[in-house]
Amino acid sequence: MIKTALTLLETSHLFITGGAGSGKTTLTRAIIDDAHQKGHTIARLASTGMAATLIGGQTLHSFFDLGIANSQEELERNGKLHPSKKVIKLIHSMTFIIIDEISMVSASVLDMIRLRLLQGNFEGRLIVVGDFLQLPPVVRGSEPIYFAFESPSWERFGFATLALEGSYRTDEVDFLTLLERVRHATLGENEGKMLDALVKPLPQEVGAMTWLYGKNISAQNHNRVQLAQLVGEMIEVPTHITLHDPKLHERDIEKFLLESRLEHSSGFKVGAPILFTRNAWNYYNGEKGVIIALDEEVIWVKKTDGNSVKVERIQTIKTKWIEKNKAFQEEKLITLSHFPLALAFAITIHKSQGMSLVDYVIDTNEIFAPSQFYVALSRAVSAHRVSLTQPNRPWERLCFVHPKAVRFGGTH
């Protein structure tokens, strides 16, 4: 698939899409690795800080110097309509610009991106990655949702589309069919029965399974209560913070911690169930385990397959592009040294994106956004390893998708 992508990029910008688990992230990383090997400059961007950190990049607002603007009108009001010479040179220097989670980018933000690319005389290739049948753009209050594909800029970019099919997460044919029906919100009687079958009696020991909530406060409360019930001493493991630029302030640190979904410290106990939050050679994103020993620098985890792994700190890095010898290179601003672990009692649906999960429960009554239920259900590696709480509404009202995203999906 990497060969197909690189061939398409020779003549056009590229839109990589596909359902959950179809390999979008794997292909994106392969393109990034290929670009680095060939000495190309490549910007790795996303609309949210969390999505940006997962691809080792930065937010598109930061890279394009958009400030807090969400439209060209706001950009002009904020005095940022015209970028600095440095930003113009930076954009012009890029061979590739990748924007991940394109479904969360609004039409007005895509218009601002195209403006910046024109201002920077961008001659490279733009690669946008995502599934419009997953999480939509975040809007203020009751503002209407306008997807990136609704912008005139989408047509002007003239993206070639590379649609990935199938799933690397599960090979259960019936479950894959159900997921596609949920993804497109086209449930029939059979799919309703399949979902009914996933409403299972839950174990008395609530902490034995991971709960997926729609709201962050619910996940935090669940984790706090369950951790307190575990016998043993709670050990606070700090996030080590290194500043590489003396001009940075405390607010810069707090913002980056928030974007990265990290705390100043995390409380763990021996015996606490955890989820890995990154991929490595000996564990994967979403894999479960139990802490068997820990200190500030090493945590030993026994995985559900019986193997014990030594987990060391990883680094999440905030960078900026600087010009040296008439060429741009990334320079570190802040380094966060932390463990790629999260308590497995509960996580949010948003944080579960990219994970492959087993033995988890979806709280169906915290589903409030289009495609949110699909994102939660599609984390499962098997229909036998996911349970649903009894919903307070019909399945058809739970499995809702934005109609504009459905129409767009029908043409791609």
Side-chain angles (χ1 to χ4, degrees):
M1 196 58 71
I2 178 67
K3 289 183 179 179
T4 302
L6 295 178
T7 299
L8 291 171
L9 285 168
E10 290 176 5
T11 55
S12 65
H13 302 303
L14 182 62
F15 169 41
I16 299 173
T17 190
S22 60
K24 297 186 296 295
T25 299
T26 301
L27 177 56
T28 302
R29 291 191 181 280
I31 292 171
I32 292 170
D33 290 343
D34 181 80
H36 284 153
Q37 289 170 12
K38 293 174 179 175
H40 296 316
T41 49
I42 182 165
R44 307 172 306 283
L45 313 176
S47 62
T48 66
M50 181 182 171
T53 57
L54 288 175
I55 58 169
Q58 63 192 109
T59 63
L60 53 88
H61 274 72
S62 170
F63 179 83
F64 289 114
D65 191 27
L66 303 177
I68 59 172
N70 282 313
S71 68
Q72 287 191 31
E73 291 75 20
E74 290 181 16
L75 201 64
E76 187 167 13
R77 282 200 302 270
N78 298 342
K80 284 185 169 290
L81 189 61
H82 301 287
S84 66
K85 289 182 179 179
K86 177 186 173 183
V87 172
I88 290 173
K89 289 178 70 175
L90 173 62
I91 292 170
H92 184 69
S93 73
M94 291 295 134
T95 310
F96 298 107
I97 294 177
I98 291 180
I99 299 177
D100 199 13
E101 300 293 357
I102 188 63
S103 71
M104 300 181 71
V105 177
S106 68
S108 58
V109 170
L110 189 69
D111 285 337
M112 288 195 294
I113 291 169
R114 184 167 181 271
L115 172 66
R116 283 291 193 256
L117 295 181
L118 290 171
Q119 291 170 328
N121 191 26
F122 177 61
E123 297 175 344
R125 292 285 182 249
L126 179 65
I127 305 167
V128 297
V129 185
D131 177 15
F132 286 109
L133 294 173
Q134 293 192 39
L135 296 180
V138 176
V139 296
R140 299 165 181 162
S142 58
E143 290 181 1
I145 292 174
Y146 292 103
F147 292 89
F149 60 76
E150 295 184 88
S151 160
S153 299
W154 183 272
E155 291 299 325
R156 288 172 182 149
F157 280 126
F159 294 108
T161 299
L162 183 54
L164 308 182
E165 297 180 355
S167 173
Y168 292 100
R169 190 163 289 143
T170 181
D171 57 4
E172 297 173 8
V173 176
D174 288 346
F175 187 45
L176 283 170
T177 301
L178 172 63
L179 288 176
E180 276 302 292
R181 290 288 189 137
V182 171
R183 181 182 177 221
H184 291 89
T186 54
L187 298 185
E189 183 179 347
N190 189 49
E191 287 73 36
K193 290 178 180 178
M194 291 176 72
L195 290 172
D196 285 336
L198 296 181
V199 180
K200 307 166 188 172
L202 300 176
Q204 288 186 333
E205 181 54 57
V206 176
M209 302 184 80
T210 299
W211 285 67
L212 250 64
Y213 290 101
K215 299 172 183 175
N216 195 44
I217 189 67
S218 300
Q220 288 177 338
N221 289 340
H222 189 102
N223 276 324
R224 186 176 62 251
V225 169
Q226 293 301 315
L227 188 63
Q229 291 178 3
L230 274 184
V231 176
E233 177 190 3
M234 186 167 77
I235 298 175
E236 289 289 337
V237 180
T239 298
H240 296 329
I241 301 169
T242 304
L243 297 181
H244 305 280
D245 185 342
K247 297 176 184 176
L248 293 173
H249 299 90
E250 185 67 27
R251 65 176 180 271
D252 299 307
I253 298 172
E254 296 301 322
K255 182 181 178 184
F256 189 45
L257 282 166
L258 183 64
E259 288 177 348
S260 306
R261 297 292 195 274
L262 294 173
E263 305 288 341
H264 279 280
S265 67
S266 300
F268 293 115
K269 288 182 180 180
V270 171
I274 58 86
L275 293 170
F276 292 96
T277 59
R278 293 289 192 277
N279 290 314
W281 70 271
N282 53 352
Y283 54 80
Y284 64 83
N285 188 12
E287 188 173 11
K288 275 188 178 178
V290 174
I291 294 175
I292 54 177
L294 76 153
D295 59 37
E296 277 199 18
E297 297 307 321
V298 175
I299 297 179
W300 283 90
V301 174
K302 186 174 184 179
K303 301 193 297 179
T304 51
D305 63 8
N307 292 320
S308 296
V309 295
K310 178 183 180 182
V311 185
E312 297 180 294
R313 290 175 175 271
I314 63 169
Q315 294 185 339
T316 294
I317 302 170
K318 184 178 183 65
T319 63
K320 69 175 180 180
W321 289 89
I322 62 165
E323 188 176 9
K324 282 187 177 179
N325 301 321
K326 296 184 179 181
F328 280 91
Q329 61 188 56
E330 283 184 283
E331 187 175 84
K332 294 178 181 178
L333 283 178
I334 305 173
T335 297
L336 304 177
S337 174
H338 61 97
F339 290 98
L341 304 173
L343 289 172
F345 298 117
I347 57 171
T348 61
I349 294 170
H350 192 274
K351 193 168 184 177
S352 76
Q353 281 196 290
M355 287 185 171
S356 298
L357 295 175
V358 297
D359 301 332
Y360 72 104
V361 181
I362 300 171
D363 189 317
T364 58
N365 296 319
E366 285 210 344
I367 302 296
F368 58 88
S371 301
Q372 196 177 23
F373 182 63
Y374 169 69
V375 172
L377 189 61
S378 61
R379 301 306 97 201
V381 302
S382 167
H384 307 290
R385 308 296 292 274
V386 57
S387 301
L388 309 178
T389 62
Q390 184 66 51
N392 57 10
R393 51 193 149 154
W395 294 118
E396 290 76 10
R397 290 182 58 199
L398 199 69
C399 305
F400 64 102
V401 180
H402 202 290
K404 290 188 290 190
V406 173
R407 289 196 294 272
F408 176 80
T411 64
H412 285 76

